[in-house]
Amino acid sequence: MNKNTLYLVSTPIGNYEDITLRALNILKESDVVVCEEYKEARRLLSKYEIQKELISLNEHNEDESSREVIQLIKDGKKIALISDCGTPLFSDPGHTLVDMAIQANITISPVPGASSLLPALTGSNFDIEKFYYYGWLSPKKEIRKKELLNLKKRNDLLVIMETPYRLKQLLGDVSKVFGSKTQIVLAYKLTQPEEIFYRGEIGSILKTVTDQKLKGEFVLLVNNRKIGRNNKN
């Protein structure tokens, strides 16, 4: 582990066995681990019997914590950044810290690992050579509708993320805009014991989600291709 380097360490998205040997070694060698929330970080580190000083960096204190971390690196401390799960900066805080680090000529070293995106794609059986990752929709109803209408114009496999408690609402919104017969894959609770891929028409999967009151982490793939493999329109 090198000094004057900020390590972006990917952590498991659900199954603790998915962490890499390199990630574990870097966490063990770090002087300080920068985390999103103390509770999640302590739970993760205790699983591997690692005890480290923690600094919280989230949307509420990003500027202040980033300046503190940059100074620690300049002082010779070995620093690793983690998020609550998955890859740091991917829909998570840390961009301000990385910006400051680059401006301070600090090396950025990403440590790859678990991600929800690729497992969702590879397990879907859609043609995944090309796809459009949109990420998180706006929680505001009118903006959300406009975003979905714009996405409908794309002749692509679409990848959408959302919070667990808005799963039913998201499927309802997608059904209204794209049509209930549109083929989708709902990659649900990836890497966890309850992991399952729901494949089929939006209307059918929405009914399953409603009947079973499903609530958990997920990735939604919407096949909006007009022609080509997997198109059933």
Side-chain angles (χ1 to χ4, degrees), residues 13-15 116-117 119-120 187-192 195 197 217 219:
I13 61 173
N15 189 326
S116 60
L117 179 58
Y188 183 74
K189 290 195 174 183
L190 291 168
T191 77
Q192 301 178 50
E195 175 184 278
F197 285 81
E217 300 289 344
V219 178

Side-chain angles (χ1 to χ4, degrees), residues 21-56:
L21 292 175
R22 183 182 172 209
L24 284 175
N25 287 334
I26 287 175
L27 291 174
K28 290 174 182 177
E29 294 176 20
S30 297
D31 295 310
V32 177
V33 173
V34 182
C35 61
E36 193 173 351
E37 299 294 341
Y38 289 128
K39 181 179 179 181
E40 293 298 327
R42 290 188 178 113
R43 182 182 298 163
L44 173 75
L45 295 177
S46 66
K47 173 68 178 179
Y48 307 113
E49 299 181 347
I50 299 173
Q51 292 186 343
K52 295 293 173 180
E53 178 185 349
L54 299 177
I55 292 178
S56 174

Side-chain angles (χ1 to χ4, degrees), residues 186-230:
L186 178 67
Y188 183 74
K189 290 195 174 183
L190 291 168
T191 77
Q192 301 178 50
E194 304 91 343
E195 175 184 278
I196 186 171
F197 285 81
Y198 294 96
R199 304 177 179 89
E201 297 178 351
I202 296 178
S204 175
I205 295 175
L206 174 56
K207 184 177 186 306
T208 298
V209 168
T210 302
D211 291 346
Q212 298 184 15
K213 298 180 180 179
L214 297 180
K215 183 180 178 181
E217 300 289 344
F218 68 90
V219 178
L220 178 64
L221 308 180
V222 180
N223 184 27
N224 197 45
R225 294 191 178 108
K226 306 303 185 290
I227 57 174
R229 183 186 165 194
N230 303 129

Side-chain angles (χ1 to χ4, degrees), residues 12 17 69 83 102 128 150 157 159 168 192 202 215 231:
E17 294 182 3
V69 172
S83 61
I102 291 172
I128 61 172
N150 285 331
L157 174 63
V159 183
K168 180 181 174 182
Q192 301 178 50
I202 296 178
K215 183 180 178 181
N231 178 53

